[in-house]
Amino acid sequence: MRLTVLLFCFFLFMADAGARNRKVKIITSKGTIVVQLSDKTPKHRNNFIKLVKQGYYNGILFHRVIKEFMIQAGDDSTKNPVPGKRYGSGGLKNKIPAEFDTSLFHKRGVLAAARDNNPEKASSGSHFYIVQGKVHTDSSLNDIEEKRLGGRKLPLQHRAVYKQIGGSPHLDQNYTVFGEVVKGIEVVDTIAQAERDQYDRPKEDIRIIKMKLKKKFLFF
């Protein structure tokens, strides 16, 4: 009886561990990026996992990249790209309700959801971006607080991170952050620095070859 109870508890633990702390491997034509999904934004986490399992992102392009800002993907019409065409209007049309958590902010390497200008700030059902960002000073952060955040003050611990490793603080509490890069940030840098056209599309197609869940087992 005791063994049965222990086995039951073990499988409950494993099921819970599988739902939490999920990592996704993003294999691109420029290298591999591994992202850790946040349990603080479960709607976005679960939606991303669902699309990864469905193979939605396999074969699409990073259709918009801006140096010292971010790299963006999620438009499935880029699987068969036309040279010189502007992309970004394709992708899933459903929206994910915003999930803002004050502990999640746009430091270098975070994974976040793109969106249109809807008043609820609900996220796109498929578009995401990874922040490259840039290192800030107190002066530049003060300017962002005044001009981009409507006077809202950034937490001191966030300011310290922005001054040390960088990011894109003007996006805080406006776009949902739902993960961060834990391996391969240099690949993000390479993609962000790609030569691009007037639409911020890389002149050389940069493709997501495949995404897959990177499962962590208890004893391995």
Side-chain angles (χ1 to χ4, degrees):
M1 179 66 180
R2 184 177 179 183
L3 178 61
T4 302
V5 172
L6 287 172
L7 285 172
F8 178 73
C9 292
F10 172 78
F11 285 116
L12 278 180
F13 170 80
M14 290 299 291
D16 182 58
R20 294 180 291 109
N21 300 323
R22 200 71 82 116
K23 292 181 181 178
V24 175
K25 184 180 288 188
I26 305 173
I27 303 168
T28 82
S29 55
K30 294 295 184 181
T32 298
I33 304 164
V34 179
V35 294
Q36 174 91 51
L37 304 182
S38 175
D39 293 328
K40 296 179 179 179
T41 49
K43 294 183 178 68
H44 287 72
R45 178 199 63 201
N46 294 344
N47 180 69
F48 198 70
I49 289 172
K50 179 187 71 175
L51 295 182
V52 170
K53 286 182 175 180
Q54 291 175 351
Y56 174 87
Y57 293 111
N58 298 347
I60 70 171
L61 301 182
F62 283 99
H63 65 270
R64 182 170 177 248
V65 306
I66 302 175
K67 184 180 178 181
E68 297 187 338
F69 184 28
M70 57 90 228
I71 61 175
Q72 182 176 342
D75 184 341
D76 58 349
S77 67
T78 63
K79 290 188 178 184
N80 297 294
V82 176
K85 181 177 178 179
R86 182 177 189 174
Y87 287 104
S89 59
L92 300 179
K93 302 306 178 186
N94 65 301
K95 288 183 169 56
I96 311 300
E99 295 180 289
F100 296 141
D101 186 293
T102 54
S103 69
L104 302 176
F105 59 105
H106 283 80
K107 64 183 178 180
R108 170 176 163 81
V110 297
L111 171 71
R115 64 170 176 82
D116 58 21
N117 291 322
N118 70 89
E120 294 82 17
K121 299 181 180 179
S123 303
S124 162
S126 60
H127 283 249
F128 70 90
Y129 59 92
I130 300 175
V131 172
Q132 183 195 35
K134 63 181 180 180
V135 174
H136 288 269
T137 64
D138 280 320
S139 177
S140 66
L141 292 173
N142 292 341
D143 193 57
I144 288 170
E145 287 176 341
E146 180 183 351
K147 297 179 179 178
R148 303 295 296 273
L149 298 179
R152 179 168 56 83
K153 299 297 184 182
L154 295 165
L156 291 178
Q157 61 269 36
H158 296 184
R159 289 177 68 101
V161 173
Y162 285 132
K163 290 190 292 182
Q164 181 179 11
I165 67 170
S168 297
H170 65 283
L171 302 178
D172 285 354
Q173 303 303 303
N174 280 306
Y175 295 80
T176 297
V177 172
F178 65 99
E180 66 178 297
V181 174
V182 293
K183 186 177 181 180
I185 191 65
E186 70 280 358
V187 179
V188 176
D189 291 336
T190 297
I191 296 171
Q193 292 167 15
E195 186 179 1
R196 62 189 194 273
D197 64 16
Q198 70 270 32
Y199 305 125
D200 294 321
R201 175 183 168 181
K203 290 185 176 181
E204 173 196 353
D205 287 344
I206 301 175
R207 193 175 297 278
I208 294 174
I209 299 169
K210 186 177 183 179
M211 278 197 199
K212 60 182 181 180
L213 292 173
K214 189 174 186 295
K215 295 181 181 179
K216 181 177 181 182
F217 295 98
L218 186 61
F219 300 113
F220 299 92

